[in-house]
Amino acid sequence: WVGDEEGTIARAGGGPLAGHEGAVERLAFAGDRLASLGADRTVRLWSLATGAQAAALDLRPTGDVPTAL
């Protein structure tokens, strides 16, 4: 799994997970999920099995950005 400056997360042997507007800054794995933090100040949760986005958290209204993911 890798994130790029275009906001796309790619998985080996599979298609990209598109959703962020801008760079992907952090990736974290937990069980069968992948969490991503983008420069667009959103956190997105993905299913590793299907590649589908499971949830999104918009941090823009408060301006709070986690230092660790």
Side-chain angles (χ1 to χ4, degrees), residues 9-36:
I9 302 165
R11 54 190 174 127
L17 307 177
H20 286 290
E21 297 172 11
V24 174
E25 298 182 344
R26 302 276 190 277
L27 297 175
F29 294 89
D32 66 345
R33 302 288 179 166
L34 167 69
S36 59

Side-chain angles (χ1 to χ4, degrees), residues 5 10 19 25 31-33 35 41 45 58-60 63-64 67-68:
E5 293 180 6
E25 298 182 344
D32 66 345
R33 302 288 179 166
R41 294 175 139 14
L45 188 63
D58 189 342
L59 301 175
R60 289 176 281 199
D64 294 336
T67 56

Side-chain angles (χ1 to χ4, degrees), residues 28-49:
F29 294 89
D32 66 345
R33 302 288 179 166
L34 167 69
S36 59
L37 171 66
D40 60 357
R41 294 175 139 14
T42 63
V43 176
R44 297 177 186 272
L45 188 63
W46 309 89
S47 165
L48 293 176

